[in-house]
Amino acid sequence: MHALIVIDVQLDFCPGGALAVPGGDEIVAPINALMDAVDTVVLTQDWHPAGHSSFASAHAGKAPYELTEMPYGPQVLWPDHCVIGSAGAAFHPALNTDRADLILRKGYNPAIDSYSAFFENDRRTPTGLEGYLRTRGIERLTLVGLATDFCVTYSALDAAKLDFTVTVREDLCRAIDLDGSLSAARAGMQGAGVKLARAA
Ligand code: VGL
Ligand code: ZN
């Protein structure tokens, strides 16, 4: 069984959004088309309470895109984004959400960010997605969405560690690319056995 995992295709990550990823909206139509080729579709949604600890605005003297130390390690601080129930937290309106068997929300714990669809950024607190996929007999995952070098990569690395067979369709992702984060992410995924693919 093969699942398509669509990471965070939300308005705040698209042009005009609070944490806009260049070209983020270009991937929506081809992601919809790929839904026909898989057994199941899972959508993830970044879903932060107001004042979330990953927001620079929650840290005196810090600006967006600076680093801070959290109890679980270094954390990039972001502009306020994907606040629970806000317009920016909604999926891109053209994304086919009807096809989703599961919509998984993450990042709702005020004290811990959650890039990965599998574990929060402490790398220990599970979201439940592993159990969902395993109990449904899903072994093969294709990952697409936003952003390549953060939530897509963290999800792909965790999935590979959990022994799923993982492909990232790079042409159906877009990156933030902070200080070389995209090349580091690609190297990390290749080293972990994640297949990086593009449409022919
Ligand atoms: C993401 C930064 C903060 C992502 C989410 O979806 O890649 N990036 N929250
Ligand atoms: Zn976030």
Side-chain angles (χ1 to χ4, degrees):
M1 294 275 277
H2 181 192
L4 177 65
I5 315 285
V6 181
I7 304 289
D8 300 358
V9 179
Q10 293 166 261
L11 281 173
D12 269 344
F13 297 121
C14 290
L19 178 33
V21 181
D25 53 344
E26 296 166 3
I27 62 177
V28 176
I31 288 173
N32 288 341
L34 188 57
M35 292 178 183
D36 291 335
V38 296
D39 300 303
T40 188
V41 174
V42 174
L43 306 178
T44 73
Q45 201 168 18
D46 210 39
W47 199 247
H48 299 306
H52 191 256
S53 57
S54 74
F55 297 170
S57 62
H59 301 260
K62 289 286 191 183
Y65 308 105
E66 288 181 4
L67 270 177
T68 192
E69 274 305 315
M70 297 289 215
Y72 52 80
Q75 166 76 46
V76 179
L77 294 172
W78 302 106
D80 291 20
H81 66 279
C82 296
V83 173
I84 293 174
S86 67
F91 289 114
H92 188 290
L95 184 70
N96 179 3
T97 58
D98 292 348
R99 180 67 172 79
D101 289 346
L102 175 71
I103 294 175
L104 181 105
R105 289 172 171 166
K106 61 183 182 64
Y108 42 72
N109 181 340
I112 314 181
D113 205 359
S114 188
Y115 295 151
S116 168
F118 292 92
F119 295 96
E120 297 187 1
N121 283 10
D122 62 2
R123 316 316 301 260
R124 284 203 317 266
T125 306
T127 64
L129 182 59
E130 177 193 3
Y132 177 85
L133 296 172
R134 288 215 196 287
T135 52
R136 293 198 56 200
I138 293 158
E139 291 152 351
R140 188 150 72 93
L141 308 180
T142 295
L143 272 66
V144 300
L146 305 171
T148 321
D149 42 345
F150 288 91
C151 290
V152 175
T153 292
Y154 275 65
S155 299
L157 292 175
D158 282 343
K161 199 186 297 175
L162 294 169
D163 283 330
F164 291 97
T165 300
V166 189
T167 300
V168 169
R169 275 285 301 270
E170 292 188 282
D171 56 325
L172 302 184
C173 298
R174 292 293 183 273
I176 297 173
D177 204 10
L178 272 184
D179 295 324
S181 57
L182 179 58
S183 61
R186 294 186 78 249
M189 288 193 283
Q190 282 169 325
V194 173
K195 186 176 172 209
L196 301 182
R198 291 175 178 278

